[in-house]
Amino acid sequence: MKFTSAISLMFAGTASAFAPSPVAHSRSSSSALFMAENGEVTPLRIGTRGSPLALAQAYETRRRLIENFPELEEDGAIEICVMKTQGDMILDKSLMELGGKGLFTKELDTALLGDEVDICVHSMKDVPTWLPDGTVLPCNLPREDTNDAFITANGEIKSIAELPDNSVIGTASLRRQAQILSQNPTLKCVNFRGNVQTRLRKLDDGVVDATLLAIAGLKRMEMQDCATSVLEWEEMLPAVAQGAIGIQCRSDDERSLKYIDALNCMDTHVCVNCERAFLEALDGNCKTPIAGQARIIDGKIVFRGLIAMPDGSLKYETEATGEIADAVEIGRKAGEELKAQAGEKFFEMMVEMSPQQVLGQITK
């Protein structure tokens, strides 16, 4: 089938693609930055989840650190610390049923505050709008394409509009579900969790007729050829911070701050901050379908956002343009505008609805 070979090749290349160069048994460093008082090397410890995508992002961070700071290429200078999060371990429930945001970051936060790691690498769309006291997230790597990929097993149907009535789409995202059902309410969305490879395997096995994934993740794992098409914002507005990688550290860790500040892409950082301000103004949770994207065009920041009912029956949208320096304020005002448009009753319904009422779907 279509995806089996792509997945096999991806896993076959995982060890060589993600693994650092072999570490010698004796570790030495001429850099005082890595010398503890007892003379031993003190590595820069990168915390990450263990999925193929998370590892790809951690090793991309490692590569960029070495490019900017050659001393970090020395044996033992960087250590990748892999850990499992609650979101990784429980796959038979929707994110909303598990409690929503923070499911992929809590364990990393704990390790960071406990001085088990020095920096944490995150997919920014997984990061809550609040950070634990004592931590900061001052760095975003250059952003990938933020759009969603539309994927079907045979590759013949290239858009949501082309799907036959009553088709089944696999997605764990209420944002995607709402926008799909707003286009065709006969379509059925089922909970579809697991890493990228697992989801593609389920599609290949005929569990669903189609699925959607962030094209950014596919590109980072060199699996973009699995996409049937890439959906434009008019058909599927992406999630807040989709396609962005963020790096977090302790707020008083001067060494880590020095390293990750050098990696920051300011255009990405500005856009992500705008989008997260929008999300924060809405007090967004995993019961509320929310999408928001900012771009810098001709020296201005251009923002577009929406909120919707999970069944797609109601949708509120907004657009705004302004000065880059006002990015956070633009995002905040856009969120407040949609909150006013939708009214208190809309958000009360979101809070009152049970996960089963919101999803209204079976779990695959």
Side-chain angles (χ1 to χ4, degrees):
M1 296 292 286
K2 178 182 176 185
F3 302 114
T4 304
S5 58
I7 293 168
S8 299
L9 284 171
M10 193 274 162
F11 277 118
T14 296
S16 59
F18 297 156
S21 55
V23 177
H25 290 295
S26 69
R27 302 191 306 179
S28 62
S29 172
S30 59
S31 171
L33 290 171
F34 295 100
M35 274 306 174
E37 289 182 2
N38 61 6
E40 292 184 358
V41 172
T42 303
L44 182 70
R45 299 162 298 174
I46 300 177
T48 178
R49 294 165 56 202
S51 71
L53 175 56
L55 287 171
Q57 294 177 165
Y59 280 101
E60 171 68 8
T61 301
R62 177 184 182 274
R63 181 185 67 78
R64 290 177 180 272
L65 282 166
I66 290 170
E67 282 182 353
N68 282 271
F69 301 95
E71 70 269 20
L72 291 176
E73 193 169 9
E74 296 182 28
D75 292 343
I78 296 178
E79 180 181 336
I80 303 292
C81 304
V82 179
M83 54 197 70
K84 280 194 173 182
T85 67
Q86 185 182 9
D88 295 314
M89 292 183 279
I90 305 175
L91 299 176
D92 60 346
K93 295 182 182 294
S94 70
L95 297 178
M96 180 182 55
E97 290 175 289
L98 292 174
K101 289 289 185 181
L103 288 169
F104 297 106
T105 59
K106 288 177 183 175
E107 287 78 3
L108 291 166
D109 288 338
T110 299
L112 186 62
L113 289 170
D115 197 21
E116 297 172 34
V117 297
D118 300 304
I119 64 175
C120 292
V121 179
H122 300 288
S123 291
M124 280 302 301
K125 69 176 182 177
D126 293 334
V127 179
T129 52
W130 54 269
L131 296 173
D133 290 342
T135 74
V136 290
L137 206 161
C139 173
N140 293 118
L141 300 186
R143 200 172 196 174
E144 250 298 355
D145 185 345
T146 68
N147 293 26
D148 278 324
F150 179 74
I151 311 171
T152 56
N154 60 22
E156 294 177 2
I157 297 173
K158 299 186 182 299
S159 69
I160 296 166
E162 294 176 23
L163 284 169
D165 287 354
N166 303 307
S167 294
V168 179
I169 302 174
T171 177
S173 164
L174 286 180
R175 169 189 64 85
R176 290 174 177 140
Q177 173 183 296
Q179 293 183 79
I180 289 165
L181 296 180
S182 72
Q183 296 179 54
N184 183 348
T186 76
L187 300 176
K188 185 173 185 179
C189 295
V190 297
N191 189 40
F192 210 56
R193 294 200 49 221
N195 62 37
V196 170
Q197 292 74 20
T198 299
R199 297 187 205 191
L200 292 179
R201 192 176 294 113
K202 286 182 180 180
L203 177 62
D204 213 18
D205 290 342
V207 176
V208 295
D209 299 307
T211 191
L212 286 81
L213 295 168
I215 190 64
L218 293 176
K219 285 184 174 182
R220 288 184 182 125
M221 293 185 291
E222 299 183 354
M223 296 176 66
Q224 61 268 31
D225 290 345
C226 292
T228 303
S229 64
V230 177
L231 303 180
E232 296 300 326
W233 287 9
E234 289 69 29
E235 188 168 11
M236 181 62 60
L237 189 63
V240 164
Q242 184 158 304
I245 296 171
I247 307 177
Q248 178 188 17
C249 70
R250 290 179 294 278
S251 54
D252 61 356
D253 185 348
E254 294 183 6
R255 182 183 76 156
S256 295
L257 284 167
K258 170 191 171 181
Y259 288 140
I260 64 178
D261 280 348
L263 305 190
N264 186 43
C265 172
M266 188 52 68
D267 282 0
T268 300
H269 198 59
V270 165
C271 290
V272 167
N273 286 345
C274 176
E275 295 163 23
R276 284 167 59 80
F278 168 75
L279 183 64
E280 185 175 26
L282 289 167
D283 193 25
N285 58 57
C286 280
K287 284 187 180 180
T288 310
I290 298 173
Q293 287 282 290
R295 288 174 174 161
I296 294 175
I297 301 174
D298 296 330
K300 301 280 187 181
I301 193 152
V302 178
F303 177 80
R304 182 172 174 182
L306 71 79
I307 56 174
M309 289 291 288
D311 64 1
S313 59
L314 284 173
K315 187 167 67 172
Y316 301 93
E317 301 181 74
T318 186
E319 294 187 27
T321 301
E323 299 298 325
I324 292 174
D326 299 327
V328 170
E329 184 68 5
I330 289 167
R332 184 186 64 77
K333 285 184 176 178
E336 291 174 350
E337 178 189 332
L338 284 192
K339 204 168 185 177
Q341 278 187 42
E344 290 183 8
K345 188 175 180 180
F346 175 91
F347 293 95
E348 287 172 0
M349 285 191 294
M350 292 294 100
V351 172
E352 292 170 1
M353 292 172 79
S354 69
Q356 290 73 25
Q357 287 174 311
V358 175
L359 286 169
Q361 322 293 340
I362 62 172
T363 298
K364 287 282 185 182

